[in-house]
Amino acid sequence: MNCLRRCWAEIDLDNISYNIGQYRRYLKDGTELLCVVKANCYGHSEAIVVPHLEKLGIKWYAVSNLIEAEHLRSLGVKGEILILGYTPEENADDLIRFNIIQACTEFAYAEKLSRSAKAGKVRMHIAIDTGMTRIGLHSDTAANADEVEKIMALENVQVEGMFTHYAVADSDEESCNEYTKAQTDKILALDDELKRRGISLSCVHFLNSAGGVYHSNEASALARLGIILYGLYPDPATALPFEPKPVMTLKAVISQVKFIEAGTTVSYGRTFTADRRIKLATVTAGYADGFPRALSNKGEIIIKGVRCPIVGRICMDQFMCDVSALDDVQEGDVATLFGSEITADDIAKQVGTIGYEIVCGIAERVPRIIAE
Ligand SMILES: *Cc1c(COP(=O)(O)O)cnc(C)c1O
């Protein structure tokens, strides 16, 4: 069967190339690009996106967990793969077998992995908590350096780098800039302290999407590019020096078109009542596809270039919209739910979340296809 044309996501590979090209212009010499492909490439499909990144010559990837890392290897990725999240100690040998780098949260965790590893040494980047307060070493510089040394002394561990994660790099507020700078200073101070002790880690990194644009720094060996790769904004309230091009376009078809009379109510809960005779279309997507139910009576979709308001509650697999503005619309016509005109960021704002959550939330049952 071809891709079922009910509700599907088109993935634009040219836009990925464009976003990477633009982003790279802000990186300093000495900073290499790492593509963050966790959560099935933020919902865009590893199977589609990763082979394209391979063609572009990407050498570094980051994922959230071992299953994602193994999937990249099965797609033929030979480059470095960093797991940003947690791997249980019983999987230590899988990390070795698949040649994966594991983020290390603290000495006790490294010790467990070291004890469990039978097949060799577990490669690690040590997480340094400089202000995100999520994972990593969280003491002062001297104590953190002591802990790094203790981790490095473990038998079945190979420490190759360390990294930190910014909390507010996406904001241009003065206090946020200061916070980000303090985070940078902390990891660089630790790097200096380690060098004083004769330890030189080959891979120290701290830039995310926003960091690479607003706080570019040659001292970061990697820039971990996530959301901008997919054409969305780290924070839509903060302008970027270039406009990223959204990679995913969510589409669905119209299954029925009909006129309803004034006074007719639409969908569950009867939350919409027609105030006049309107032309109504039923669209074949719903919240089970990841199209947020919170857009009920709020959102708009695009049919034949015209914005049509969503009316009534969005159901699990279908919703209705007012197509009175369209003369020529019929069953089988295609609707664009979001993409480049109404973006995932726009929808996110309407429902009180971020674009990341919209694209990550597109359901597995929605086929991803390469845009023509
Ligand atoms: C997810 C993640 C990133 C990517 O963040 P974006 O804002 O999407 O660029 C980078 N680093 C770490 C540690 C992450 O968890």
Side-chain angles (χ1 to χ4, degrees):
M1 189 179 72
N2 292 331
C3 156
L4 180 66
R5 297 269 175 159
R6 181 192 74 93
C7 171
W8 68 97
E10 295 182 1
I11 305 302
D12 192 318
L13 298 175
D14 291 339
N15 287 359
I16 288 184
S17 304
Y18 175 85
N19 296 333
I20 287 179
Q22 290 296 310
Y23 184 75
R24 271 208 167 114
R25 294 170 46 209
Y26 295 88
L27 301 184
K28 304 271 196 275
D29 288 346
T31 302
E32 190 166 354
L33 193 66
L34 173 152
C35 288
V36 180
V37 295
K38 61 196 180 192
N40 201 22
C41 291
Y42 293 39
H44 291 66
S45 170
E46 283 174 348
I48 289 176
V49 174
V50 169
H52 185 67
L53 297 176
E54 287 284 283
K55 264 191 224 150
L56 296 177
I58 299 301
K59 295 281 181 295
W60 281 87
Y61 295 91
V63 295
S64 112
N65 62 61
L66 185 62
I67 292 173
E68 293 178 351
E70 289 186 26
H71 191 215
L72 288 199
R73 289 289 182 235
S74 77
L75 289 170
V77 170
K78 301 273 188 291
E80 301 290 10
I81 301 174
L82 170 63
I83 292 181
L84 300 166
Y86 180 75
T87 303
E89 60 176 310
E90 55 264 34
N91 295 103
D93 279 339
D94 295 319
L95 292 170
I96 297 164
R97 197 167 309 122
F98 290 97
N99 193 24
I100 309 296
I101 304 170
Q102 172 62 45
C104 171
T105 52
E106 57 186 353
F107 173 75
Y109 176 61
E111 195 180 32
K112 279 189 179 175
L113 286 182
S114 178
R115 218 184 308 119
S116 302
K118 303 284 176 264
K121 288 179 188 284
V122 178
R123 302 173 66 195
M124 282 183 185
H125 284 189
I126 301 177
I128 311 298
D129 183 0
T130 59
M132 174 70 178
T133 319
R134 187 167 70 176
I135 58 166
L137 314 194
H138 48 87
S139 305
D140 60 27
T141 299
N144 282 344
D146 292 347
E147 194 164 343
V148 169
E149 286 199 84
K150 270 175 66 186
I151 295 169
M152 293 183 81
L154 289 165
E155 194 179 344
N156 295 324
V157 157
Q158 186 174 313
V159 176
E160 299 177 8
M162 63 178 180
F163 70 102
T164 197
H165 194 49
Y166 288 145
V168 285
D170 55 351
S171 168
D172 57 6
E173 274 179 37
E174 192 48 39
S175 63
C176 295
N177 284 334
E178 280 167 20
Y179 197 83
T180 300
K181 185 171 182 310
Q183 287 197 265
T184 309
D185 290 348
K186 269 187 202 167
I187 190 162
L188 293 180
L190 177 58
D191 192 37
D192 284 346
E193 173 61 21
L194 289 169
K195 283 186 177 128
R196 255 195 301 278
R197 299 181 186 197
I199 297 163
S200 187
L201 295 177
S202 60
C203 195
V204 176
H205 52 107
F206 42 88
L207 301 174
N208 55 2
S209 282
V213 176
Y214 305 122
H215 307 278
S216 196
N217 189 325
E218 64 198 354
S220 186
L222 300 170
R224 305 185 303 263
L225 173 63
I227 197 71
I228 292 176
L229 175 64
Y230 306 103
L232 300 176
Y233 283 74
D235 175 3
T238 312
L240 285 171
F242 59 93
E243 212 172 307
K245 294 186 177 175
V247 172
M248 181 192 291
T249 301
L250 187 69
K251 294 185 175 177
V253 296
I254 292 167
S255 60
Q256 190 179 14
V257 179
K258 60 174 170 270
F259 282 96
I260 60 170
E261 301 303 326
T264 308
T265 63
V266 176
S267 195
Y268 291 123
R270 307 180 66 200
T271 58
F272 177 85
T273 306
D275 61 357
R276 62 199 149 81
R277 185 172 195 259
I278 63 174
K279 198 195 278 187
L280 191 77
T282 303
V283 182
T284 57
Y287 61 78
D289 299 294
F291 194 60
R293 184 172 175 277
L295 287 169
S296 299
N297 290 310
K298 242 188 195 176
E300 291 178 324
I301 62 170
I302 297 170
I303 302 168
K304 299 189 164 179
V306 175
R307 286 178 178 239
C308 303
I310 294 169
V311 298
R313 285 201 185 137
I314 291 173
C315 309
M316 190 181 290
D317 320 301
Q318 315 179 62
F319 66 87
M320 278 60 78
C321 68
D322 181 347
V323 292
S324 303
L326 286 167
D327 287 333
D328 174 30
V329 57
Q330 56 187 341
E331 173 262 316
D333 284 346
V334 174
T336 300
L337 278 49
F338 66 76
S340 56
E341 190 180 330
I342 298 174
T343 69
D345 285 328
D346 294 332
I347 285 181
K349 192 173 174 194
Q350 279 185 297
V351 305
T353 183
I354 53 177
Y356 296 71
E357 190 180 29
I358 299 295
V359 287
C360 287
I362 297 307
E364 208 175 313
R365 80 175 188 186
V366 176
R368 274 72 166 170
I369 62 173
I370 298 173
E372 306 272 298

